[in-house]
Amino acid sequence: MKWALVSVALIFSLVFLLLPLANVFVQALAKGWSFYWASLTQPDAWAAIRLTLLVAGISVPLNVVFGLAAAWAIAKFQFRGKSLLVTLIDLPFSVSPVVAGLMFVVLFGLQGFFGPWLDAHDIRIIFAVPGIVLATVFVTFRSSRAN
C-alpha cells in the first residue's frame, strides 16, 4: 500500500508539474537556441524582465512585513479589530483574482470611484506599476497567510 501511494504521488507530480514545465521549455526552444536567445535580447523582453523583478522586489518584502506583523499581532494580542484583520487576511482565499482585478479597475480606473481624482492629480494606478504591485500583493498574499 505504501508503494502504491508513493507511486500515485509521483505520477501525479509528473503529470501535473513536470510535464507542463517540460512543455514550456519545448515550446520556447522549438525554433532553436539562437531564436530563443534573440527573443530574450529584444527590448520588450528586457522591459518585461525588469518589470517582473521590480514588482517582485516590492511585493515580496511587503508580504513578508505585513505577514509577520499580522501573524505576531494575531497570535500574541487581543485587540479590537482582530476579527477584521483575520477577515482581511482570508479575503484573497474567497475572492477570485479576476474579481479582484475588476475591483481594482472599478476603484482606480478612469471611470472608477477614485478615477477622476487620481486623473486630476496625474496619479496612475491601473495599468501602471502601483496597480501591478497591488494586484500581485493581493494574489500572493494567499501564500503568506497567517493563522
Side-chain angles (χ1 to χ4, degrees), residues 41-123:
T41 58
Q42 296 291 320
D44 288 341
W46 278 108
I49 291 168
R50 279 193 306 274
L51 179 63
T52 300
L53 293 174
L54 175 67
V55 170
I58 295 169
S59 301
V60 169
L62 283 175
N63 273 339
V64 168
V65 168
F66 183 74
L68 285 174
W72 179 64
I74 290 169
K76 289 283 187 181
F77 303 106
Q78 292 297 325
F79 55 93
R80 274 183 22 176
K82 183 176 178 178
S83 61
L84 177 64
L85 179 60
V86 172
T87 301
L88 289 175
I89 289 170
D90 287 338
L91 193 62
F93 287 101
S94 58
V95 176
S96 162
V98 174
V99 173
L102 178 62
M103 176 185 68
F104 294 141
V105 170
V106 167
L107 285 175
F108 303 118
L110 286 178
Q111 304 299 320
F113 187 74
F114 298 114
W117 185 87
L118 292 169
D119 190 41
H121 292 85
D122 199 32
I123 299 172

Side-chain angles (χ1 to χ4, degrees), residues 26-39:
V26 167
Q27 295 297 322
L29 299 171
K31 295 183 180 178
W33 281 98
S34 60
F35 185 80
Y36 178 73
W37 184 254
S39 297

Side-chain angles (χ1 to χ4, degrees), residues 51 101 104-105 108-110 124-133:
L51 179 63
F104 294 141
V105 170
F108 303 118
L110 286 178
R124 302 284 177 253
I125 294 181
I126 296 296
F127 307 116
V129 173
I132 297 169
V133 169

